[in-house]
Amino acid sequence: MIPTKGYAAQNATSPLTPFTFERRDPRADDITIEVDFCGICHSDIHTARSEWGPTAYPCVPGHEIVGRVVQVGKKVKRFKKGDLAGVGCFVDSCGKCSNCKKNEQQLCEKQTAFTYNSMELDGKTPTQGGYSRHITVKESYALKIKKGQPLSRIAPLLCAGITTYSPLKRYGVKKGHKVAVVGLGGLGHMAVKIAKAMGAEVTVFSTSPSKQPDAKKLGAKHFALSKDPASFEKRAGYFDLIINTVSSKHDLTPYLEVLKIDGTMVLVGAAPEPSEVSAFALIFGRKKLTGSLIGGIKETQEMLDYCAKKKIFADIELIPAVKINEAYERTLKSQVKYRFVIDAATY
Ligand code: NAP
Ligand code: ZN
Ligand code: ZN
């Protein structure tokens, strides 16, 4: 076993604290990564605080992981010692069901082993995430990262990047499309950058007036204050696609009203509480309301290669591990610009 250290939540209400544990030695098809950076996703906070249902403690969150390969199993083909590697939101799946065969491992019909607060496929070993110095993972669930890029700014692509790239691509965003991004946090700022790179005209809906200059710098053409009803009235029937990244309960109906006929709103934000939706807001205009869960391994690799080619990186605040709890509080106050990333050398 490989001793490692990191930070864990011990219960739903206390701050995260330093935590020492072990990773498995690499099996034949595993690699062990020494983690350099790990992003802080709002899903980490939902989970650390049991907001999505009871969490199994201790829980080491983190699924935006980048680092260097330090050990390889005997049959590993894609990685060698010293290579850069990434790990996203899941570390295993059955590999045989129709969804796995379609490269949608995040939707495995049997079991997706998520990176933390989940079980390995043996059904008894809890998974622990990337707020830690090491992680051992099957090579086929690790991502290749090109050298020569700012590694700390790549980490958030492993969740925020793929979660927004996947629906933007699925709904065929291209030049001339009008895309709205709701909520300018970790996911939202990646959605703006990627939608802009795909050629869309991007509008940000935000509750934070202070984010207007940043929204423009990130690539948005328009900024709309979501607290002002006029922001919706003047854009009725305007958007082809809305990527909604909001992390808590809010009224969805005004957003349906700013969609074009046959337009789609994709919920990626995973508010713990359910929302009400007006049937009329969907019926008049054949609007579509749907969701999207991260992306499969193949699409995640495609997104990393796309972002490398287009030089799309996250805008981050790099923090030492002792600031994780402060970062959680600032994220909850929508004060993150635009992703906190932990420097794994500081555990
Ligand atoms: P984040 O950085 O905290 O960003 C969320 C943003 O939503 C905030 O910055 C804020 O932006 C806005 N917001 C927050 N509370 C709001 C409210 N009550 N009403 C309206 N707007 C509000 O979070 P994140 O890491 O981007 O994650 C966003 C959500 O996506 C979380 O629920 C997370 O669990 C989920 N998620 C889902 C997937 C998936 O696969 N579907 C993957 C990753 C994350 P403004 O200041 O601009 O209003
Ligand atoms: Zn995430
Ligand atoms: Zn499967």
Side-chain angles (χ1 to χ4, degrees):
M1 299 292 270
I2 301 162
T4 194
K5 48 189 181 171
Y7 261 60
Q10 297 288 350
N11 57 59
T13 50
S14 309
L16 277 69
T17 47
F19 182 63
T20 305
F21 62 113
E22 289 178 324
R23 296 294 191 182
R24 66 174 184 262
D25 291 315
R27 298 176 189 138
D29 56 351
D30 280 342
I31 58 172
T32 297
I33 300 168
E34 185 170 71
V35 179
D36 286 312
F37 302 104
C38 183
I40 295 181
C41 176
H42 206 119
S43 303
D44 303 349
I45 306 178
H46 290 309
T47 307
R49 300 188 174 189
S50 283
E51 290 173 0
W52 287 339
T55 291
Y57 297 102
C59 172
V60 177
H63 57 206
E64 295 184 335
I65 303 163
V66 291
R68 289 152 291 109
V69 176
V70 289
Q71 288 191 50
V72 293
K74 282 196 289 282
K75 293 191 176 155
V76 166
K77 292 194 187 77
R78 291 171 54 237
F79 292 92
K80 57 180 190 327
K81 266 193 198 177
D83 282 355
L84 297 177
V87 180
C89 299
F90 55 92
V91 289
D92 210 351
S93 69
C94 87
K96 295 178 189 132
C97 72
S98 63
N99 288 348
C100 282
K101 283 192 175 144
K102 281 187 280 183
N103 283 301
E104 302 273 23
Q105 297 88 350
Q106 77 283 18
L107 300 172
C108 176
E109 290 163 16
K110 291 207 173 123
Q111 188 205 334
T112 305
F114 290 97
T115 305
Y116 59 82
N117 192 38
S118 185
M119 286 288 172
E120 297 283 359
L121 292 198
D122 65 6
K124 58 179 187 199
T125 310
T127 58
Q128 297 289 16
Y131 297 5
S132 61
R133 192 58 163 145
H134 300 90
I135 188 166
T136 299
V137 63
K138 269 190 192 168
E139 67 157 335
S140 51
Y141 289 78
L143 287 308
K144 302 281 282 185
I145 291 168
K146 290 191 169 65
K147 287 203 167 131
Q149 304 184 89
L151 203 53
S152 56
R153 299 181 63 193
I154 303 287
L157 302 184
L158 275 301
C159 174
I162 181 60
T163 302
T164 50
Y165 176 89
S166 182
L168 288 166
K169 181 159 183 233
R170 187 173 321 124
Y171 294 99
V173 169
K174 58 179 193 301
K175 198 167 165 46
H177 278 191
K178 296 187 168 63
V179 172
V181 173
V182 188
L184 196 62
L187 266 58
H189 96 291
M190 289 310 306
V192 172
K193 290 185 183 215
I194 297 170
K196 164 87 175 164
M198 290 176 173
E201 179 202 292
V202 182
T203 302
V204 167
F205 281 85
S206 172
T207 59
S208 310
S210 63
K211 292 182 185 173
Q212 178 158 9
D214 287 344
K216 298 276 172 73
K217 273 188 231 150
L218 292 164
K221 184 160 184 201
H222 305 291
F223 182 86
L225 264 186
S226 48
K227 287 175 180 159
D228 179 3
S231 298
F232 297 93
E233 282 154 22
K234 71 178 188 200
R235 295 182 174 87
Y238 189 75
F239 295 103
D240 297 282
L241 182 70
I242 301 177
I243 305 291
N244 186 328
T245 77
V246 174
S247 50
S248 54
K249 186 178 175 177
H250 61 292
D251 189 0
L252 300 178
T253 301
Y255 294 103
L256 296 170
E257 286 165 358
V258 295
L259 282 174
K260 280 182 188 163
I261 288 177
D262 292 318
T264 302
M265 173 152 72
V266 185
L267 300 184
V268 287
E273 318 83 8
S275 293
E276 284 179 7
V277 176
S278 155
F280 289 93
L282 293 168
I283 291 169
F284 284 88
R286 294 190 304 248
K287 313 287 174 69
K288 296 192 271 287
L289 178 61
T290 185
S292 191
L293 178 67
I294 37 180
I297 291 292
K298 187 165 174 252
E299 194 176 40
T300 305
Q301 190 64 61
E302 176 188 304
M303 174 278 309
L304 286 168
D305 297 345
Y306 178 87
C307 289
K309 194 169 139 210
K310 300 259 181 186
K311 297 197 170 21
I312 298 173
F313 312 114
D315 287 18
I316 66 154
E317 288 187 51
L318 189 64
I319 57 161
V322 289
K323 292 216 165 156
I324 290 173
N325 294 297
E326 189 184 320
Y328 274 27
E329 293 311 319
R330 280 189 48 204
T331 302
L332 289 168
K333 289 184 195 144
S334 302
Q335 287 173 358
V336 49
K337 291 197 169 184
Y338 279 87
R339 198 55 135 187
F340 287 108
V341 172
I342 305 161
D343 181 348
T346 62
Y347 292 119

